[in-house]
C-alpha cells in the first residue's frame, strides 16, 4: 500500500510498509468404489494416508466417508497423494484383485481435486470332500439313498447330496467360501431294513475349508444285523 507523504525541509520521515499474503487454498475429494465385496461387509476400517506439500500428512478411515466420498477443505495448493494402507487385509475371506489403491490430485486455488480409488475383491474359495466308509453292510445292499446335509457355521444349509452322488466312496463340493462346514447324515439309522446302526458310527463331522485347499470329513457307518430267536 502506498501513501503520499509531504516531507518538510530538514525533516526525516519514516515510512512503514506492510505486505499481507494469504495462502492459496483448495479442496481434495477422495471417491471410493468397491466391487466383489458383500453388501453387508464392514469396510469402515479401510485406512487412507494423505501426503502433500510442505510435510502435510494426515489419515482418514472409510467410516468417515459419506456416500463413498470424503472431502478435505482449506488445503494449500499443490500435489497430494492418497494411499490405502490396508486394502488387502480389511475384508476377511476375500482377496484383493487388480485395483486402484493410490492416486494423486493437484489442488488449485479455489478448486477441488478428485482422487478416485477402486477396490476389486474376490471371495476366497476352497473344497469340501466327504469320505464315506461302511462296516457290516450286506453284499448287494442299496445304500445310494443315504442323505448328507452340509451346513455352514451359521447353520445354513449349503448342499444336500445322497450317496448315489458319490464316486469311489467320496464326494467333493467345490468352490465353497472359506469357513467351517458340518456334514450330517440324516437317515443313517433307517437306511437298511433289519439292520441297526451301531453307536460307534460317525455320522457327523466338521471340516475347515481354507483358500485353494480341500478339507476332508470322514464318516463311518457300522451296521449290526437284527437277530431273533426260533
Amino acid at each position: 500500500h502506498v501513501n503520499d507523504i509531504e516531507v518538510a525541509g530538514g525533516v526525516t520521515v519514516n515510512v512503514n510498509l506492510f505486505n499481507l499474503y494469504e495462502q492459496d487454498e483448495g479442496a481434495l475429494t477422495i471417491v471410493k468404489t468397491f466391487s466383489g465385496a458383500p453388501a453387508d461387509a464392514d469396510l469402515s476400517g479401510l485406512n487412507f494416508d494423505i501426503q502433500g506439500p510442505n510435510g502435510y500428512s494426515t489419515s482418514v478411515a472409510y467410516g468417515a466417508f459419506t456416500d463413498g466420498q470424503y472431502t478435505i477443505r482449506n488445503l494449500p495448493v499443490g500435489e497430494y497423494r492418497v494411499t490405502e494402507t490396508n486394502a488387502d487385509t480389511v475384508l476377511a475371506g476375500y482377496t484383493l484383485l487388480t485395483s486402484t489403491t493410490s492416486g494423486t490430485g493437484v489442488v488449485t486455488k479455489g478448486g477441488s481435486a478428485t482422487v478416485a480409488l477402486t477396490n476389486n475383491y474376490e471371495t476366497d474359495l476352497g473344497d469340501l470332500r466327504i469320505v464315506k466308509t461302511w462296516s457290516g453292510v450286506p453284499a448287494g445292499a442299496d445304500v445310494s439313498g443315504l442323505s448328507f446335509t452340509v451346513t455352514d457355521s451359521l447353520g445354513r444349509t449349503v448342499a444336500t447330496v445322497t450317496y448315489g452322488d458319490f464316486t469311489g466312496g467320496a464326494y467333493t463340493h467345490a468352490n465353497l467360501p472359506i469357513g467351517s462346514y458340518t456334514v450330517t447324515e440324516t437317515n443313517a439309522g433307517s437306511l437298511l431294513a433289519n439292520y441297526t446302526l451301531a453307536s460307534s458310527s460317525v455320522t457327523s463331522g466338521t471340516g475347515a475349508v481354507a483358500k485353494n485347499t480341500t478339507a476332508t470329513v470322514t464318516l463311518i457307518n457300522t451296521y449290526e444285523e437284527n437277530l431273533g430267536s426260533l
Side-chain angles (χ1 to χ4, degrees), residues 110-210:
S112 181
T114 299
V115 175
L117 305 178
T118 302
N119 288 18
N120 300 314
Y121 289 98
E122 181 180 67
T123 307
D124 292 338
L125 302 175
D127 298 340
L128 180 68
R129 185 169 184 259
I130 308 170
V131 176
K132 183 71 220 163
T133 61
W134 309 83
S135 176
V137 176
D142 181 10
V143 294
S144 62
L146 180 63
S147 180
F148 304 80
T149 298
V150 181
T151 55
D152 63 14
S153 59
L154 298 178
R156 299 172 299 192
T157 299
V158 297
T160 300
V161 298
T162 65
Y163 191 68
D165 299 314
F166 283 49
T167 300
Y171 175 85
T172 298
H173 193 302
N175 299 325
L176 284 172
I178 66 171
S180 179
Y181 292 87
T182 298
V183 182
T184 305
E185 297 177 13
T186 60
N187 61 340
S190 59
L191 182 67
L192 294 176
N194 300 320
Y195 282 79
T196 298
L197 183 68
S199 60
S200 59
S201 299
V202 180
T203 60
S204 181
T206 299
V209 173

Side-chain angles (χ1 to χ4, degrees), residues 4 8 25 40 45 60 96 106 113 123-124 145 154 166 188 209 211 213 215 221 223:
D4 294 331
E25 295 179 340
D40 59 351
V60 63
L96 182 68
V106 178
T123 307
D124 292 338
L154 298 178
F166 283 49
V209 173
K211 181 181 178 181
T213 64
N221 286 19
Y223 288 95

